[in-house]
């Protein structure tokens, strides 16, 4: 404090010890396992780690707790709930099963094609003379759809031109090698999807079951990926001992 009397100023200095406290501007949370796995690595920047490398965990297990213990030297002086932050990587396994039928139906297109014109009035399609397809299977390809306009004004009517292409459904049989090729491409697509999500694929174990009507693929994909998932917890501010007088805040 400073006091002034006449032309004399007196400065009084009093030594104080500031109180220790924690400011938490974020809601407390735990880090839990999003999936079953075996911990490969855990890097915690906030919170208390509850697991270590090589630990097996189940989905929902707490990996990092929001509750931290505050110490003054070797003495615990209180606890605090914080927002947990961590990167947790685990090894886990994906089961992949796929079946391909040996017998299948394929469209074999014929030389028969038909063109058809329709009128559109107020968005309603009117087909006066539709091609006689004699119960044939067909696909329709729109060639164009045109509305009449004058300048920027569009009349509420127009014409549509379609093309009908006929085909026959032909039953075919795949070889075992063809079935296997289809299954392997499907498995490769699954692996690419995992890698696109930032998942590291370590290995793939697969086997085939050759049945009379189909070929079945069973595969186990071993990966490493992040499994940390943040969940909110009830706030528990804990307590801390004052360093001057030993009272609890």
């Amino acid at each position: 404090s400073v006091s002034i009397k006449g032309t004399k100023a007196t400065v009084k200095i009093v030594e104080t010890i500031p109180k220790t406290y924690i400011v938490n501007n974020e809601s407390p949370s735990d880090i839990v396992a999003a999936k079953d796995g075996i911990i490969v690595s855990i890097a915690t920047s906030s919170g208390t780690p509850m697991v270590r490398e090589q630990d097996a965990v189940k989905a929902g297990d707490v990996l990092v707790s929001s509750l931290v213990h505050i110490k003054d030297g070797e003495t615990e002086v209180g606890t605090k709930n914080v927002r947990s932050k961590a990167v947790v990587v685990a090894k886990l396994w994906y089961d992949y099963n796929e079946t391909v039928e040996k017998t299948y139906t394929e469209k074999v297109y014929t030389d028969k094609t038909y063109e058809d014109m329709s009128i559109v009035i107020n968005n309603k399609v009117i087909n006066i003379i539709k091609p006689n397809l004699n119960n044939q299977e067909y696909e329709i390809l729109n060639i164009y759809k045109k509305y009449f306009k004058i300048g920027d004004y569009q009349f509420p009517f127009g014409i549509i031109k379609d093309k009908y292409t006929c085909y026959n459904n032909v039953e075919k049989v795949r070889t075992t090698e063809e079935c296997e090729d289809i299954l392997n491409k499907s498995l490769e697509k699954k692996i690419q999807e995992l890698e696109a999500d930032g998942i590291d694929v370590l290995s793939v174990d697969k086997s085939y079951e050759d049945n009379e009507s189909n070929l079945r693929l069973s595969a186990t994909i071993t990966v490493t990926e992040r499994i940390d998932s943040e969940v909110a917890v009830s706030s528990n501010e804990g307590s801390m001992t004052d360093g001057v007088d030993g009272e609890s805040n």
Side-chain angles (χ1 to χ4, degrees):
S1 63
V2 179
S3 61
I4 300 176
K5 186 176 183 180
T7 59
K8 182 178 179 181
T10 302
V11 179
K12 186 177 181 181
I13 301 175
V14 178
E15 184 177 356
T16 61
I17 302 175
K19 296 181 179 181
T20 303
Y21 61 95
I22 293 176
V23 178
N24 180 16
N25 294 322
E26 297 180 297
S27 299
S29 63
D30 288 339
I31 300 296
V32 302
K35 301 176 180 179
D36 298 353
I38 296 177
I39 302 299
V40 172
S41 65
I42 177 169
T44 306
S45 57
S46 179
T48 303
M50 304 299 289
V51 296
R52 62 183 65 184
E53 293 180 13
Q54 301 304 316
D55 282 353
V57 297
K58 295 287 187 181
D61 286 353
V62 176
L63 307 177
V64 180
S65 172
S66 64
L67 185 66
V68 296
H69 299 271
I70 304 166
K71 292 186 176 182
D72 184 4
E74 296 298 322
T75 304
E76 182 174 316
V77 293
T79 59
K80 184 75 173 181
N81 283 91
V82 301
R83 180 183 179 185
S84 298
K85 298 178 182 179
V87 174
V88 185
V89 177
K91 179 188 289 188
L92 50 139
W93 296 263
Y94 287 93
D95 290 327
Y96 182 79
N97 300 289
E98 188 70 48
T99 301
V100 170
E101 299 298 325
K102 294 181 179 179
T103 302
Y104 66 101
T105 300
E106 182 178 283
K107 292 180 181 178
V108 177
Y109 294 93
T110 69
D111 295 332
K112 295 180 181 180
T113 60
Y114 304 88
E115 291 187 353
D116 182 39
M117 302 288 289
S118 302
I119 301 173
V120 182
I121 301 177
N122 291 325
N123 294 321
K124 183 178 181 180
V125 178
I126 302 174
N127 193 330
I128 300 174
I129 304 176
K130 188 175 181 179
N132 184 7
L133 300 173
N134 296 321
N135 297 320
Q136 297 180 78
E137 300 287 346
Y138 59 87
E139 288 183 349
I140 302 177
L141 173 66
N142 178 249
I143 299 176
Y144 65 80
K145 183 177 184 179
K146 182 178 180 180
Y147 284 89
F148 297 102
K149 297 176 64 176
I150 296 179
D152 293 332
Y153 178 76
Q154 177 176 293
F155 290 94
F157 59 86
I159 57 174
I160 297 175
K161 186 175 182 179
D162 293 323
K163 181 179 180 180
Y164 292 73
T165 302
C166 299
Y167 64 85
N168 296 317
N169 288 315
V170 179
E171 188 174 278
K172 294 190 174 184
V173 178
R174 298 184 179 100
T175 65
T176 299
E177 289 73 20
E178 289 173 332
C179 292
E180 190 173 315
D181 183 58
I182 293 172
L183 291 171
N184 284 334
K185 288 179 179 179
S186 179
L187 175 60
E188 183 59 33
K189 182 180 179 181
K190 175 63 177 180
I191 292 172
Q192 291 173 356
E193 291 173 352
L194 293 173
E195 292 175 335
D197 288 337
I199 299 172
D200 293 326
V201 176
L202 303 180
S203 63
V204 180
D205 296 321
K206 60 183 179 180
S207 62
Y208 300 96
E209 181 182 331
D210 193 353
N211 303 307
E212 183 178 350
S213 61
N214 58 50
L215 184 69
R216 178 177 175 80
L217 167 67
S218 298
T220 300
I221 308 171
T222 305
V223 306
T224 56
E225 66 174 284
R226 287 185 63 172
I227 63 167
D228 46 279
S229 177
E230 185 178 4
V231 296
V233 297
S234 299
S235 178
N236 178 11
E237 296 299 331
S239 62
M240 185 154 186
T241 303
D242 189 298
V244 177
D245 54 19
E247 294 181 356
S248 180
N249 296 321

